Amino acid sequence: MRNKVVIGNWKMNKDNEDALSLIIEILYQNKSLIDLPEIGIAPPAIYLSHFTEKLKNTNIYLVSQNAYFKDNGAFTGEISFSMLNSIGVKYCILGHSERRQFFNETDAEIALKVKQSIKCKVLPVFCCGESKDQRQNDSYFNVIKTQLENSLFKLSKEDFLNVTIAYEPVWAIGTGLTASANQAQEMHAFIRNEIKKAYNSEVAEEIRILYGGSVNAKNAEELFACNDVDGGLVGGSSLNAIDFFEIIKAARS
Ligand code: 13P
């Protein structure tokens, strides 16, 4: 059975003092609870190293929001996957729609990042999602299929088993417009079926598919109850420890 995971993506939010307060509140909320799903925190990269200490011996894993696909070298401003691995980062979010939209990341570049991530033993959380126009003109299944084919399905089966997928419809990110449980389940089942076609049904059953896009304390339970929704990638609501833990509780089995 797939174990659920909830990852908080802080994006480019929280200065040092606020980031420290939030992680302390998160640790406090975490203390009294049992049977939790896997939890990940993706703070801005500048805090990762410091948070390693704070999260030592807890059930909360560190997640990077991005990294570059080269081993090392003259790439000013970038960080490598081996650097992430060397400080104990477990996951890296890749292909987020904000990276695609504002930093022109292409499917091909994301494919290189996914490969390098696996090579450096950092588990990729691969994001895919359609725009509002693509949802309205009914091309959304094709859009997701193309993203999966271009960036993931060339991986060997062994490598692919390291991937977690996050379906994040762009129209639902930061808008308060969540996909309905039916819309989420429909797309997650579609993605699982594409994995089955590209690999096999055992692989398809093992891969976790998270939902992201305006997940909050109110809608999380219904979304996470869907058969093919294995947790969430949470933006805005992860910036408040109490809300974030309401979402985490909704993912308890
Ligand atoms: P929101 O939860 O703020 O909509 O963001 C979702 C997201 O992009 C997580 O990666």
Side-chain angles (χ1 to χ4, degrees), residues 9 11 93 96 98 168 172-175 212-215 233-237:
N9 177 7
K11 308 193 180 183
I93 299 170
H96 193 283
E98 287 148 18
E168 297 206 307
I173 295 178
T175 57
S214 297
V215 176
L233 184 53
V234 186
S237 296

Side-chain angles (χ1 to χ4, degrees), residues 1-2 157 160-161 163 192-193 195-208:
M1 219 183 79
R2 301 179 295 270
K157 183 178 94 180
F160 183 73
L161 283 166
V163 175
R192 207 174 296 289
N193 197 45
I195 299 171
K196 184 174 156 189
K197 289 197 284 184
Y199 297 93
N200 60 42
S201 47
E202 286 78 40
V203 174
E205 281 311 307
E206 226 172 280
I207 295 294
R208 291 185 297 190

Side-chain angles (χ1 to χ4, degrees), residues 130 135 140-141 144 167 183-191:
E130 79 283 1
R135 169 64 54 174
Y140 49 99
F141 287 125
I144 304 303
Y167 169 57
Q183 285 172 320
Q185 171 55 28
E186 179 185 47
M187 182 57 86
H188 284 225
F190 172 81
I191 292 171

Side-chain angles (χ1 to χ4, degrees), residues 137-150:
N137 69 22
D138 283 338
S139 62
Y140 49 99
F141 287 125
N142 270 336
V143 169
I144 304 303
K145 187 172 172 342
T146 305
Q147 290 174 347
L148 296 169
E149 284 175 352
N150 289 348

Side-chain angles (χ1 to χ4, degrees), residues 159-253:
D159 280 351
F160 183 73
L161 283 166
N162 291 292
V163 175
T164 298
I165 294 174
Y167 169 57
E168 297 206 307
V170 180
W171 49 271
I173 295 178
T175 57
L177 281 179
T178 323
S180 67
N182 280 345
Q183 285 172 320
Q185 171 55 28
E186 179 185 47
M187 182 57 86
H188 284 225
F190 172 81
I191 292 171
R192 207 174 296 289
N193 197 45
E194 289 304 307
I195 299 171
K196 184 174 156 189
K197 289 197 284 184
Y199 297 93
N200 60 42
S201 47
E202 286 78 40
V203 174
E205 281 311 307
E206 226 172 280
I207 295 294
R208 291 185 297 190
I209 308 173
L210 316 184
Y211 170 79
S214 297
V215 176
N216 59 39
K218 290 206 177 83
N219 60 29
E221 196 166 344
E222 197 187 353
L223 286 162
F224 296 165
C226 299
N227 272 347
D228 289 293
V229 177
D230 304 311
L233 184 53
V234 186
S237 296
S238 72
L239 297 173
N240 174 297
I242 293 173
D243 287 351
F244 188 48
F245 269 82
E246 284 305 309
I247 295 169
I248 288 167
K249 282 189 243 166
R252 273 162 144 173
S253 43

